[in-house]
Amino acid sequence: MIDHLNDAALSALPDDVPVVMLNLMRFRERSLDGKGSGWDAYLRYSALTIKLIKAQGGTIIWAGDAEAVALGEPDRHRWDYVALVRYPSRAAFLAMMRSPEYAAANVERENGCSDHAIVATRETYRKFT
């Protein structure tokens, strides 16, 4: 899945404000390496990547279980887990994604996730400061 990193598209966007990455994950029933469930593999991935996120000045601002597709096609839009990760810039996100340390951690992500989409967002409204 790391082959699908759209670094050209991200690099072409303005990089003058922090970015929040919307992560949508669907887990495998069993990890590809046979070491537990897809969730177990994702937890191993998370333990490795939180250090990388923090090293780039980023932080997880929210994470939770996806309970149901409220609007959309349930089979097509089903996700198991959602996370919002804030980076100081798109460049910081790309630096992490291109690092050898991330490549090593990514093995666990691929073991655990049958699908994982990351959407770069730009804030247009905020209720809370």
Side-chain angles (χ1 to χ4, degrees):
M1 287 183 257
I2 193 68
D3 295 337
H4 297 119
L5 178 63
N6 295 313
D7 54 357
L10 284 175
S11 297
L13 292 171
D15 201 15
D16 54 343
V17 295
V19 62
V20 174
M21 296 296 186
L22 166 65
N23 286 253
L24 302 165
M25 284 84 55
R26 183 176 309 121
F27 300 122
R28 300 178 193 282
E29 187 172 324
R30 300 288 307 156
S31 175
L32 289 179
D33 63 4
K35 297 178 184 174
S37 66
W39 173 247
D40 295 330
Y42 186 78
L43 289 177
R44 293 189 298 270
Y45 162 80
S46 293
L48 296 168
T49 56
I50 190 61
K51 299 169 198 166
L52 304 175
I53 292 167
K54 287 181 178 182
Q56 292 295 330
T59 189
I60 298 170
I61 57 175
W62 187 91
D65 295 326
E67 296 182 313
V69 176
L71 176 67
E73 299 174 37
D75 291 336
R76 190 169 141 217
H77 298 124
R78 183 188 63 79
W79 300 103
D80 297 316
Y81 199 67
V82 178
L84 300 173
V85 184
R86 184 182 187 274
Y87 296 88
S89 65
R90 288 172 178 78
F93 170 78
L94 287 171
M96 182 194 76
M97 295 294 285
R98 293 176 182 146
S99 73
E101 295 84 6
Y102 184 83
N106 188 57
V107 172
E108 294 293 0
R109 185 180 70 88
E110 291 181 349
N111 281 337
C113 292
S114 62
D115 197 5
H116 184 181
I118 301 176
V119 179
T121 68
R122 177 178 282 271
E123 184 177 284
T124 60
Y125 171 80
R126 175 190 349 204
K127 175 144 182 145
F128 303 106
T129 56

